[in-house]
Amino acid sequence: MNSHPAVCDLLIRNGYVVTMDGGRRVFPAGAIAVEGKRIVAVGPEREVTAAWRGRRVIDAGGAPVHPGLIDGHYHVTMHGTRGAMSDDPSKPALGGASGISPYGQWFNAMTAEDEYASAQHASLEMLANGYTCFLEAGTVFETDAVAEAVTAVGIRAVLGDPFLWDLTGSMAMAAELDRAPADLARCLSVIGRECRRNEDPDALVRGHVAVYGSGSASDDLLLAGKEAADRHGVVLNQHQSLEAGGVAREDERLGRHPFVHFAELGLLAENTTYVHLNILREDEVEAIVGSGMNVIWHPANYQFYAVGRTTPPRIPDLHGRGVNVALGSDIAKLWTIGEGPLVGYLLAREWGGYLTAEAMFEMQTCAAARAAGLGDRIGSLEVGKRADIVIRSQHRGESHPGLNPVQEMVLIGRTRTVDTVIVDGEVALRGGRAVRVDEDAVHAASRASARRLAAITGQTPGTIWPETL
Ligand SMILES: [Zn+2]
């Protein structure tokens, strides 16, 4: 122990520090010391302040302090579709005379400026909700523009190569995108390209391997994806088993259930991350448990697609059997980023199960870091990890009476109590406002882009009530 405190860049004191470390330690009167981009001390305040003196000090006011939240699945360039696609499930999925789906038309109409505007809006909304990183779904065309947008806001992203698919039978959109034809040669020519970003150890935006999945990839493409992920030390990520129609087509094509097939191909491993899994059969559950693979769960999508009419949710059971489960928001269309814990908790309850608030919080932090392939860098407050830190506010009713701060934060306050967000040791949000970008300008650009794309794609969004000018 030093007799004189050492100096660090930032000291956060007077926090209810939820570390999410291996022991899930909580320091009710805790402090964190940050030097440069990394955490150098975390623990009881009396110990941390005896050893460290901060050039800058933030008093958390007794509020919870925790690792930055991580979204396991986000289509960052589709943020502007919010409100454009009908929320009425009776409306046909195919739009216009072209026969191309609304999302397909939107992807086809987007320019690099549109992708930038959507990504910056989404990143800003994530930041304001305490999210410091997301795993993108591999649906960005202009990845450099998106990387620039995300970095300007000051959060992290893990991008994939654009639309890796080579089969059109099970997934309609794989036949719709002019710029990303379903073609194995095209995919093999770009696969793993985004991993070039990982050569810079300090890059906020990194790369991984994403194939689109859900029946749009041949075995050759899936195996090439796994090989590239192994070679680059990243995760292979894909959609799978979202809704009944697509799963039935895959059963037919493969002659067996998808996860049984993936297991035989050798794809289920600690560096593979599968998204959705709304429909799983018993033989698939057995293939997944113990494989080490990661699951990204979107409980609101399970409900939106009315999957429960035919299939119970299996993910609470997978979680109970030790599978690494994290949450993803997909596209924040009828919900916003950060609603997953409450929706997942209630979905489990609806079917007689129980997931604790603590389990739901793991799905937003350490489990999500592992699923994104970044478990050694982020997802917990530990010495040596990147200083991605969220400080909550005590100035809202949802933060009280404080008898169970974790439950209050995860299920009741959710993300509305986020006050300050630090990424890589730098303050990116203070008092609920972004520090690095002009929020009004970001929102104006997103509104203009979304209106233009809605007009091009023939969407006629708006309330069903008459609007009088
Ligand atoms: Zn998705």
Side-chain angles (χ1 to χ4, degrees):
M1 180 72 76
N2 294 332
S3 54
H4 301 289
V7 177
C8 62
D9 290 326
L10 174 65
L11 186 82
I12 300 165
R13 58 169 298 272
N14 193 21
Y16 182 94
V17 178
V18 179
T19 65
M20 305 310 289
D21 66 7
R24 302 289 187 268
R25 289 182 301 166
V26 174
F27 301 109
I32 303 167
V34 174
E35 175 67 12
K37 300 174 185 296
R38 287 185 168 78
I39 295 167
V40 291
V42 55
E45 179 165 332
R46 65 177 185 282
E47 291 180 12
V48 174
T49 54
W52 295 94
R53 185 163 56 82
R55 290 188 187 88
R56 178 177 184 182
V57 177
I58 296 178
D59 185 330
V65 177
H66 60 79
L69 307 178
I70 301 162
D71 195 292
H73 184 74
Y74 205 70
H75 295 270
V76 75
T77 60
M78 290 282 104
H79 203 61
T81 64
R82 170 186 286 169
M85 313 299 176
S86 177
D87 60 4
D88 179 350
S90 70
K91 291 275 168 65
L94 294 177
S98 67
I100 295 177
S101 68
Y103 283 112
Q105 292 183 48
W106 198 280
F107 275 120
N108 281 333
M110 276 192 310
T111 65
E113 289 74 26
D114 294 314
E115 292 198 296
Y116 184 95
S118 177
Q120 199 156 62
H121 177 188
S123 299
L124 184 56
E125 196 168 315
M126 287 194 208
L127 175 66
N129 285 287
Y131 280 76
T132 57
C133 184
F134 65 93
L135 187 64
E136 213 281 331
T139 53
V140 172
F141 292 115
E142 301 287 346
T143 54
D144 286 346
V146 165
E148 196 183 316
V150 173
T151 304
V153 173
I155 67 168
R156 299 178 194 277
V158 190
L159 303 182
D161 307 305
F163 297 95
L164 299 188
W165 50 27
D166 64 343
L167 299 177
T168 57
S170 292
M171 235 285 297
M173 203 169 67
E176 296 179 343
L177 302 197
D178 306 334
R179 298 167 69 186
D183 176 60
L184 181 60
R186 177 186 69 83
C187 296
L188 297 181
S189 72
V190 298
I191 199 164
R193 193 180 59 181
E194 287 300 311
C195 296
R196 73 188 186 279
R197 301 182 191 281
N198 304 348
E199 289 166 16
D200 175 2
D202 291 331
L204 282 179
V205 176
R206 297 174 63 84
H208 77 299
V209 178
V211 296
Y212 195 93
S214 283
S216 66
S218 67
D219 290 352
D220 284 347
L221 179 53
L222 294 176
L223 290 169
K226 180 67 164 65
E227 188 277 327
D230 291 344
R231 179 159 36 90
H232 291 288
V234 298
V235 292
L236 169 66
N237 162 33
Q238 71 166 76
H239 295 89
Q240 191 58 48
S241 303
L242 172 68
E243 46 76 42
V247 172
R249 289 189 290 277
E250 279 220 82
D251 287 348
E252 166 116 23
R253 178 176 69 87
L254 299 169
R256 51 187 166 175
H257 298 150
F259 278 94
V260 174
H261 183 70
F262 298 153
E264 280 199 20
L265 286 180
L267 293 170
L268 307 189
E270 291 194 356
N271 70 336
T272 49
T273 296
Y274 289 85
V275 182
H276 292 312
L277 284 64
N278 288 329
I279 296 166
L280 293 174
R281 280 62 58 93
E282 198 51 47
D283 56 355
E284 293 181 286
V285 169
E286 294 309 317
I288 291 167
V289 171
S291 70
M293 62 163 266
N294 308 287
V295 175
I296 305 294
W297 188 27
H298 190 328
N301 258 351
Y302 175 91
Q303 295 178 307
F304 178 81
Y305 290 103
V307 178
R309 288 188 305 183
T310 57
T311 311
R314 297 282 198 164
I315 291 179
D317 300 337
L318 291 179
H319 176 268
R321 294 181 67 182
V323 176
N324 188 54
V325 175
L327 291 165
S329 303
D330 209 4
I331 301 170
K333 49 186 181 185
L334 303 172
W335 42 77
T336 191
I337 293 148
E339 307 284 11
L342 177 63
V343 179
Y345 171 86
L346 289 175
L347 180 59
R349 285 300 307 126
E350 182 182 1
W351 291 80
Y354 172 53
L355 292 165
T356 61
E358 287 82 356
M360 302 313 301
F361 199 58
E362 289 170 350
M363 295 183 196
Q364 293 178 288
T365 54
C366 50
R370 182 176 148 190
L374 297 175
D376 58 339
R377 302 166 71 90
I378 57 174
S380 60
L381 301 177
E382 293 180 81
V383 171
K385 283 207 168 175
R386 297 297 173 131
D388 292 6
I389 303 168
V390 175
I391 304 172
R392 300 283 179 146
S393 167
Q394 296 285 68
H395 300 299
R396 288 189 63 111
E398 294 89 344
S399 301
H400 303 282
L403 300 177
N404 185 345
V406 172
Q407 185 195 72
E408 281 174 356
M409 176 174 73
V410 177
L411 296 180
I412 299 166
R414 303 197 291 288
T415 63
R416 68 186 68 179
T417 57
V418 169
D419 180 88
T420 297
V421 178
I422 294 154
V423 185
D424 236 10
E426 302 261 355
V427 175
L429 188 88
R430 189 72 173 128
R433 301 286 294 181
V435 171
R436 295 187 179 181
V437 289
D438 178 339
E439 294 188 357
D440 291 340
V442 170
H443 295 149
S446 178
R447 292 172 75 95
S449 166
R451 281 174 191 280
R452 193 185 74 81
L453 290 167
I456 291 174
T457 59
Q459 305 296 328
T460 52
T463 177
I464 58 175
W465 291 330
E467 290 182 327
T468 305
L469 291 172

